[in-house]
Amino acid sequence: MVNVAILGFGTVGSGVAEVLTTNGGLIDHRVDDLVRLKYIVDVRDFPDSPYKDLFVKDFAVLENDPELDIVVETIGGATIALDFTTRALKAGKSVVTSNKELVATHGYELLQLAREHGCSYLFEASVGGGIPILRPLTSCLAANELEQVTGILNGTTNYILTRMIKAGLTFDQALAEAQANGYAEKDPTADVDGHDACRKICILAALAFGRHVYPDQVPTQGIRGVALEDVAYADSVGCKIKLLGRAIRQPEGKVCAFVAPHLVPGENPLSGVEDVFNAIAVTGNAIGDVMFYGRGAGKLPTASAVVADVIDIAKDLKRDRHNGWEEGAPDLVVSTDGLRSAWYVRVQASVEQARSRCGDIQLLARSGAPAGEAAFLTAPMTEPEIREKLAGLDAGSLFRVLA
Ligand code: HSE
């Protein structure tokens, strides 16, 4: 018998209970043992839940139960979740989580703790919801030197951008829809301002390049600055605006990582990733380009990845999974200032001004554009270079174009 507890009976936690129950027979068969949900910890009461007899409020019950093997943490945040995860690992219980904030901020120390106590800390669901990405990155692509990871990592913002593009909804209307569908974080600013995508690119960068990348090292810009005008200009040249998290290997073991809206040309498969779907493109020196695609948020897709980790651990409770990375460093992450790309610019200027400032540009058009608005694509250059050229102009939008 393998005993499991769930911490936090919210969207993901209740999804985990549902998958463990609905697919119980096949899970037992795959593990070749009985996998039983023994406890659910939540401060709230759920008197009508089919799992009502499993609820406990005191975490010490789990810590002190020698028969409990795996703790699923779906509380979120990095306060109570950190305390419970630390205590569970110290008690020798393996922990599975979807909590990207905790992994991105404390992953290194929690992985160390798991090793010291002969248990595992797994977090497949923390990036890309239901998409298998972390295990493939470290197992199936293990023969590669990974060069870069580029992803649409936040379902809520991708949903918002898609609804703005396709239905002409305002930002607020589209956000309300995403929240109603259960995609958004408790505080949607983490989605909209890019912090959720930032945490996910930190985890991907740590796994791809082997050292902890902390969120405060990663420049992060969300989608509040994306206007319907930008969507229309992008559309006029077959591009879609996407919030991308990017991590690029640099010389001497350094990493360049950032989150920002980009114009993605139609020939790049990331441009066709819509609604709540996420996609992660990985480049390795042997495989070339590979892309992972699927539902990046939502109750059952996320629970699917959580329960897969539970199954992996349950198959062999004592196996040392070595899925860690080295400690980070203040100088590990280099500035994006050296990264050249073409730029999309929307600015209050005449065409002549735009040309004299930026040289060889591709002018863009949209219906209803007011006089004095210029939008264009530039030749490749660095961010300091384009900012210097635009100095003094009233810049509406400035986004990189994905090569
Ligand atoms: N709020 C997150 C998103 C949930 O929209 O992608 C999944 O991490």
Side-chain angles (χ1 to χ4, degrees):
M1 175 94 74
V2 177
N3 288 304
V4 179
I6 296 172
L7 308 180
F9 199 62
T11 304
V12 179
S14 60
V16 171
E18 190 177 326
V19 173
L20 283 173
T21 309
T22 310
N23 294 347
L26 72 86
I27 291 169
D28 291 348
H29 181 68
R30 286 175 185 162
V31 172
D32 198 19
D33 202 344
L34 293 176
V35 178
R36 185 177 61 144
L37 180 57
K38 189 168 185 186
Y39 304 111
I40 301 174
V41 178
D42 202 293
V43 287
R44 299 163 295 176
D45 293 313
F46 294 87
D48 301 326
S49 165
Y51 309 102
K52 62 179 184 298
D53 296 337
L54 305 184
F55 280 87
V56 293
K57 293 206 184 328
D58 183 3
F59 183 74
V61 173
L62 279 62
E63 256 175 324
N64 296 324
D65 181 346
E67 292 182 347
L68 181 65
D69 303 294
I70 302 171
V71 173
V72 172
E73 183 271 299
T74 56
I75 299 170
T79 51
I80 298 167
L82 175 61
D83 179 40
F84 286 177
T85 300
T86 303
R87 287 165 60 185
L89 294 172
K90 283 184 174 170
K93 322 281 182 210
S94 287
V95 176
V96 171
T97 190
S98 57
N99 185 340
K100 51 263 162 171
E101 182 176 355
L102 190 59
V103 180
T105 50
H106 294 279
Y108 172 72
E109 69 199 58
L110 294 172
L111 285 160
Q112 290 290 105
L113 206 55
R115 288 195 77 173
E116 283 164 22
H117 292 272
C119 49
S120 296
Y121 185 50
L122 297 186
F123 38 85
E124 181 64 58
S126 66
V127 179
I131 305 172
I133 172 64
L134 302 189
R135 197 169 282 106
L137 200 62
T138 51
S139 297
C140 313
L141 298 178
N144 287 260
E145 172 113 288
L146 298 177
E147 305 293 349
Q148 60 174 296
V149 181
T150 302
I152 294 172
L153 301 172
N154 183 266
T156 299
T157 46
N158 205 43
Y159 186 88
I160 291 171
L161 291 170
T162 304
R163 296 293 286 157
M164 286 171 74
I165 293 165
K166 288 196 143 178
L169 294 191
T170 64
F171 174 88
D172 289 333
Q173 289 168 328
L175 173 60
E177 278 191 5
Q179 287 175 308
N181 287 326
Y183 304 146
E185 298 297 302
K186 275 181 223 154
D187 173 4
T189 60
D191 297 299
V192 169
D193 292 329
H195 304 303
D196 180 75
C198 171
R199 292 162 186 150
K200 292 168 178 167
I201 199 65
C202 287
I203 297 168
L204 289 166
L207 286 170
F209 305 131
R211 298 186 67 187
H212 197 119
V213 173
Y214 289 92
D216 61 6
Q217 296 178 296
V218 175
T220 297
Q221 181 188 349
I223 63 164
R224 285 187 205 273
V226 179
L228 283 171
E229 292 90 319
D230 301 315
V231 168
Y233 280 124
D235 192 47
S236 75
V237 277
C239 290
K240 295 282 187 300
I241 300 182
K242 297 289 179 191
L243 183 67
L244 300 182
R246 300 178 64 186
I248 305 164
R249 177 183 291 280
Q250 299 294 304
E252 297 167 15
K254 310 268 186 197
V255 179
C256 177
F258 64 107
V259 174
H262 285 64
L263 261 68
V264 180
E267 59 270 22
N268 187 313
L270 289 171
S271 77
V273 176
E274 296 185 334
D275 295 320
V276 73
F277 284 85
N278 284 190
I280 300 115
V282 181
T283 307
N285 67 348
I287 193 165
D289 295 326
V290 59
M291 192 164 117
F292 301 84
Y293 170 84
R295 289 187 185 278
K299 176 176 172 169
L300 294 180
T302 309
S304 157
V306 170
V307 176
D309 278 347
V310 169
I311 291 171
D312 185 27
I313 294 170
K315 279 178 174 171
D316 187 350
L317 289 168
K318 294 292 162 221
R319 182 158 65 89
D320 183 351
R321 286 175 173 77
H322 290 295
N323 65 335
W325 51 69
E326 308 278 308
E327 175 58 306
D331 64 349
L332 174 66
V333 182
V334 302
S335 163
T336 55
D337 279 357
L339 191 65
R340 287 166 62 81
S341 64
W343 293 86
Y344 159 80
V345 180
R346 179 168 59 87
V347 72
Q348 292 304 310
S350 66
V351 170
E352 293 69 33
Q353 271 179 312
R355 283 219 163 92
S356 73
R357 297 279 190 121
C358 299
D360 186 18
I361 57 174
Q362 180 184 351
L363 283 173
L364 307 179
R366 69 175 177 98
S367 62
E373 178 179 83
F376 53 92
L377 304 180
T378 73
M381 64 185 87
T382 66
E383 184 164 359
E385 285 167 349
I386 183 66
R387 288 202 180 276
E388 192 186 331
K389 289 178 193 299
L390 298 175
L393 295 179
D394 179 10
S397 296
L398 178 64
F399 304 136
R400 286 182 192 272
V401 181
L402 188 66

